[in-house]
Amino acid sequence: MRLFGGGSKTDEAETFPVTHSDDEWRQKLNPAQFNVLRKHATERAGTSPLNQEKRAGTFLCAGCGKELFAADTKFESGTGWPSFFAPLDGAIATTEDRSLFMSRTEVHCADCGGHLGHVFEDGPRPTGLRYCMNGAAMTFKPVG
């Protein structure tokens, strides 16, 4: 079990349609994206420009480009991370994360397995869920 920066065994326990070696991921991603997506790190709260993104569009996985969240599911959670009440169908998968002496539900990209963040049961209607995502794990594609 890892104490900091993750604790799931996503990379070892599952296989995904999009795979690369660590060296290939390092070439494809910037250091912050690599640390979050591939090493299960968490960006510092309030540091992602995506936290302020308000345009219509879609949030994508920074690792493989999979569409993850529609902009109209984003809400201001006050946490300092982009938060959503629902993912797009088939966009994400979850695993149990037992790091930091607690049990949480980790969210990762269904196509590449990249660590996105965690989901909590304190979100708004209609789902009551808060998908608290690392902005470094995503990109944004505006409508048009």
Side-chain angles (χ1 to χ4, degrees):
M1 172 175 75
R2 286 179 271 178
L3 181 58
F4 298 105
S8 83
K9 301 251 186 230
T10 303
D11 298 325
E12 298 87 16
E14 298 180 58
T15 58
F16 298 94
V18 176
T19 59
H20 297 290
S21 69
D22 270 359
D23 286 341
E24 290 168 329
W25 282 120
R26 277 189 175 86
Q27 291 174 10
K28 181 175 177 47
L29 304 169
N30 69 40
Q33 291 170 327
F34 180 80
N35 285 331
V36 170
L37 285 164
R38 307 316 313 167
K39 297 301 177 185
H40 303 260
T42 299
E43 67 191 4
R44 211 171 69 238
T47 60
S48 173
L50 293 184
N51 201 34
Q52 304 305 317
E53 183 58 65
K54 309 258 190 264
R55 296 175 290 173
T58 308
F59 292 82
L60 313 172
C61 175
C64 69
K66 182 165 187 69
E67 294 186 345
L68 302 171
F69 297 94
D72 62 2
T73 65
K74 187 172 183 282
F75 68 97
E76 178 51 56
S77 66
T79 62
W81 289 280
S83 297
F84 305 85
F85 61 79
L88 294 169
D89 287 342
I92 61 109
T94 61
T95 54
E96 184 179 14
D97 177 354
R98 298 181 136 277
S99 65
L100 300 176
F101 305 105
M102 65 180 95
S103 180
R104 301 176 290 172
T105 302
E106 177 189 352
V107 175
H108 56 270
C109 174
D111 279 5
C112 73
H115 170 76
L116 302 170
H118 293 86
V119 61
F120 303 96
E121 295 181 352
D122 60 359
R125 291 180 185 191
T127 65
L129 298 174
R130 174 175 52 96
Y131 289 84
C132 189
M133 303 293 98
N134 288 285
M138 300 182 297
T139 59
F140 181 74
K141 179 177 73 175
V143 169

